[in-house]
Amino acid sequence: MPELPEVETVVRTLNRLVAGKTIERVQVLLPRIIQRPAEPELFEAALVQQTIHRLERRGKFIRFVLDDLTLISHLRMEGRYGVNVAGEPIEKHTHVIFAMTDGTELRYRDVRQFGTMHIFRQGEEWSLPPLHKLGLEPLDPAFTPEALRKRIGDKPTKLKPLLLNQEAIAGLGNIYVDEALHRAGLHPERPANSLSQKEMDFLHRSITEVLQEAVDAGGSSIKSYVNGQGEMGMFQQQLHAYGMTGQPCRHCGHPIEKTRLGGRGTHFCPHCQVLRA
């Protein structure tokens, strides 16, 4: 599933490609992608003549800011956007097409068909699902060590599942939690309330550093992720823990191990990330 760096990269790419364009018509080819309004015909009609002023990211969600509406899109497992010239062949698994007045089309393609789209009147999206319970934004200036301590510092929950909880921190997923915990030297099973102030500071710094480096690299193309121009991310070349099972830790040389925690594959170095009570 695309995580914060991948979604941020898609948003930045689409801002260059479609911001300022006006939607002439919309074609929904797979109705279950559309969550609000429930009727695809109403979704299509609502967006006609709406201009895309800008795109923003909240957690793993994309916000299309229109004239008086907001379109919220979640890519889920393998959703992707691409910009085509009208009349070009439509790829298999293309489920929503936004035709622009300039003759281009923004096409949403999703092999797994898990993506979702919601339309709201501007402003109401913050108080309704799916955005209303999202936690701290880890690349926002408000994400400080103190904010992180207030959000998770008193919880007995193990670090890995807690950091994956989108109501705690929005945007983190399996790849970047493994990388941040490895960089901070913290075992994924450590209870959050067992961290010292110094360890919490290390965790905060590791989260922000890993995410920013991944954004700068255009995200990680582990499976099928590409940005809005079909370009792969490159951060997978800088991974130290995720997907590195059996390979030597770049810090100490001990083989990286993999276990399952909360149903998720979890990668760590048992030498650098010792489990302490």
Side-chain angles (χ1 to χ4, degrees):
M1 178 181 294
E3 301 178 28
L4 184 155
E6 291 76 49
V7 178
E8 179 68 24
T9 301
V10 170
V11 165
R12 293 182 181 187
T13 303
L14 292 182
N15 264 317
R16 296 196 300 269
L17 296 176
V18 301
K21 295 189 178 187
T22 298
I23 301 170
E24 185 173 44
R25 65 184 180 279
V26 179
Q27 184 178 10
V28 175
L29 302 175
L30 184 67
R32 73 165 173 265
I33 298 287
I34 308 307
Q35 301 292 304
R36 177 189 170 100
E39 301 81 2
E41 298 82 5
L42 296 180
F43 179 91
E44 294 172 341
L47 295 175
V48 172
Q49 293 305 309
Q50 291 278 325
T51 296
I52 302 173
H53 292 281
R54 64 186 182 279
L55 289 87
E56 300 175 350
R57 180 193 54 77
R58 177 69 172 106
K60 300 177 186 179
F61 293 86
I62 299 173
R63 294 181 65 244
F64 290 77
V65 180
L66 310 173
D67 292 331
D68 56 359
L69 301 175
T70 303
L71 169 63
I72 304 297
S73 172
H74 197 319
L75 303 176
R76 297 291 180 181
M77 297 296 291
E78 295 193 26
R80 63 173 69 174
Y81 283 99
V83 177
N84 298 79
V85 175
E88 289 184 342
I90 298 174
E91 287 187 273
K92 188 178 179 181
H93 305 298
T94 296
H95 303 312
V96 185
I97 299 174
F98 304 87
M100 306 298 174
T101 56
D102 69 347
T104 62
E105 294 179 347
L106 176 64
R107 299 177 181 177
Y108 176 76
R109 184 171 178 265
D110 190 343
V111 174
R112 300 290 292 275
Q113 303 180 5
F114 292 152
T116 59
M117 294 185 188
H118 297 71
I119 292 177
F120 299 93
R121 287 288 174 187
Q122 270 188 30
E124 70 178 354
E125 70 270 20
W126 302 117
S127 60
L128 295 169
L131 301 187
H132 67 308
K133 291 186 177 180
L134 291 180
L136 299 170
E137 274 289 339
L139 292 184
D140 191 279
F143 183 70
T144 63
E146 181 59 28
L148 180 62
R149 280 192 293 272
K150 287 182 178 179
R151 184 57 62 101
I152 71 170
D154 63 348
K155 297 186 183 300
T157 311
K158 295 175 181 179
L159 280 171
K160 173 75 181 278
L162 180 57
L163 294 175
L164 287 175
N165 183 347
Q166 298 301 293
E167 294 184 21
I169 303 176
L172 286 176
N174 217 29
I175 298 173
Y176 300 108
V177 170
D178 280 359
E179 289 300 304
L181 290 174
H182 181 267
R183 186 174 298 204
L186 297 171
H187 194 283
E189 295 187 43
R190 275 284 297 276
N193 62 2
S194 73
L195 270 60
S196 68
Q197 179 173 333
K198 185 176 182 180
E199 288 175 319
M200 191 67 75
D201 290 344
F202 281 154
L203 177 59
H204 171 270
R205 186 174 66 190
S206 296
I207 290 171
T208 56
E209 286 179 350
V210 165
L211 290 176
Q212 188 58 61
E213 291 170 14
V215 169
D216 292 342
S220 300
S221 290
I222 302 297
K223 291 184 179 180
S224 60
Y225 162 74
V226 292
N227 67 16
Q229 292 179 298
E231 299 167 339
M232 295 175 59
M234 300 303 294
F235 191 71
Q236 67 275 8
Q237 298 180 359
Q238 303 176 46
L239 296 175
H240 285 209
Y242 182 85
M244 306 297 285
T245 307
Q247 299 189 41
C249 172
R250 297 189 187 184
H251 295 166
C252 71
H254 192 286
I256 295 292
E257 295 185 6
K258 180 180 180 180
T259 187
R260 294 197 71 80
L261 182 56
R264 306 298 298 275
T266 298
H267 309 78
F268 68 101
C269 172
H271 183 267
C272 294
Q273 297 169 263
V274 178
L275 180 57
R276 298 183 175 88

